[in-house]
Amino acid sequence: MVMAREHLSSAFERELRELKEKILFMGARVEESIADTMKALLDRSSVLAQKVIDTDSEIDELEMEIDEICWRILALRQPAGRDLRFITTGLKISTDLERVGDQAANIAERVLELNEEERLKPYIDLPLMAQKAQEMIKNSLDAMVNEDEALARQVCADDAIVDNYMEQIFRELLTYMLESSTNISRAMRLTFVAKYLERIADHATNIAEMVIYMLHGTDIRHRHFDEPRTEGEIAKGRAAAVPASPAVQSAQAPQPPRRAEHPSEPPS
């Protein structure tokens, strides 16, 4: 009987480890798509932009694989406490990562359209904005792996930086549109690129918020990231701080190498 329980525990830990590694792999592919789509914009590479569009289906497949792992664990293992929160967080993270892949593909589509015309202006803030959004994705996943609440909260704070880039880029592009009607189509496409990057940062923030929920059982969505927790929430967090399975507590799991870094209404 004891051996049977140990076998089940070992299998459960392997499944949790598999889930973590699959999420990290999906995150690496998403980061790669963000980097490639910005390189395609800067280098005016339609080939690279098309590669990002084609890769989106692979990211979709990864989302479904992660969902299947999560539902299988929930059905067969009936986890509780912190393990349960880790699995439900994995379901939400895969959804956000899939949407980031969609936004990268949207940017790539705008790149294909922009490449058909002369470059409107030098790209200065857009690459910086993309770099920050990509960094937020990486940090939110690192926060999950290392169970780092401080890093997760830093991701939430960094969202304001991306929002500021968005406002600055929009104001600049608006001056180009007012200057000449011939600039409107290109300026609109670049505005959409900035909007897609802003949404990528929003998804990174969603992941960071879910990491905090995973760690403490406290839902901080829809409120300012630095609001102090109430005494009840602190007590709830202490009660939730039950040691997780070794697979969830493990140090950073092996992960694939990470690479450095539309004219219709953008989809939601």
Side-chain angles (χ1 to χ4, degrees):
M1 190 68 178
V2 174
M3 290 182 63
R5 284 199 298 269
E6 290 177 351
H7 175 74
L8 289 174
S9 176
S10 178
F12 182 39
E13 289 167 10
R14 283 198 304 271
E15 290 166 346
L16 292 177
R17 192 177 303 111
E18 177 191 9
L19 174 58
K20 178 187 290 186
E21 291 174 356
K22 187 71 74 171
I23 291 172
L24 292 174
F25 181 72
M26 184 178 184
R29 295 306 301 269
V30 165
E31 286 182 52
E32 181 180 354
S33 289
I34 299 171
D36 283 349
T37 197
M38 291 311 299
K39 181 174 175 57
L41 176 67
L42 296 173
D43 296 347
R44 297 178 64 84
S45 172
S46 297
V47 172
L48 189 54
Q50 188 60 52
K51 175 195 168 187
V52 173
I53 295 171
D54 295 340
T55 301
D56 187 47
S57 61
E58 298 177 19
I59 294 173
D60 293 343
E61 288 290 334
L62 286 170
E63 180 197 19
M64 291 188 288
E65 290 175 15
I66 290 171
D67 286 356
E68 182 179 350
I69 294 171
C70 290
W71 289 120
R72 185 177 70 242
I73 296 174
L74 288 171
L76 299 179
R77 307 301 182 190
Q78 298 181 339
R82 196 155 173 177
D83 289 333
L84 177 59
R85 293 200 303 275
F86 170 67
I87 295 164
T88 55
T89 296
L91 282 167
K92 290 181 175 291
I93 288 176
S94 68
T95 298
D96 277 298
L97 290 176
E98 187 275 332
R99 290 176 180 170
V100 172
D102 289 343
Q103 302 300 342
N106 290 340
I107 295 173
E109 290 172 358
R110 302 291 78 77
V111 169
L112 292 177
E113 296 162 355
L114 285 164
N115 286 350
E116 296 176 359
E117 304 179 75
E118 291 293 324
R119 190 191 297 265
L120 176 64
K121 59 179 287 296
Y123 302 135
I124 300 173
D125 288 332
L126 275 174
L128 295 175
M129 185 181 185
Q131 183 178 12
K132 174 55 69 174
Q134 183 180 343
E135 176 187 297
M136 289 173 65
I137 293 291
K138 178 183 183 300
N139 286 345
S140 64
L141 294 174
D142 286 346
M144 179 200 72
V145 172
N146 299 320
E147 300 184 358
D148 189 338
E149 179 185 358
L151 184 57
R153 288 184 176 273
Q154 184 60 54
V155 172
C156 296
D158 286 346
D159 188 47
I161 298 175
V162 176
D163 290 343
N164 288 338
Y165 275 124
M166 176 67 207
E167 293 176 8
Q168 182 174 324
I169 290 169
F170 175 75
R171 286 196 300 268
E172 180 184 14
L173 291 173
L174 183 59
T175 62
Y176 278 92
M177 287 188 277
L178 294 174
E179 182 180 284
S180 172
S181 60
T182 60
N183 295 335
I184 292 177
S185 64
R186 288 172 292 172
M188 285 296 295
R189 290 183 173 97
L190 291 172
T191 300
F192 288 150
V193 169
K195 185 62 180 177
Y196 297 137
L197 290 172
E198 182 192 32
R199 288 178 177 173
I200 288 173
D202 289 342
H203 289 302
T205 301
N206 291 345
I207 295 172
E209 290 171 345
M210 287 306 303
V211 169
I212 294 172
Y213 169 76
M214 179 188 77
L215 295 176
H216 300 293
T218 301
D219 192 343
I220 67 165
R221 293 176 298 174
H222 312 305
R223 70 187 226 188
H224 199 266
F225 76 94
D226 60 358
E227 285 183 15
R229 287 188 285 165
T230 66
E231 290 184 7
E233 289 174 331
I234 293 172
K236 182 180 178 183
R238 286 174 183 155
V242 177
S245 294
V248 179
Q249 286 187 314
S250 61
Q252 185 162 358
Q255 51 187 300
R258 300 178 182 276
R259 294 173 59 174
E261 48 179 24
H262 301 348
S264 57
E265 185 63 19
S268 59

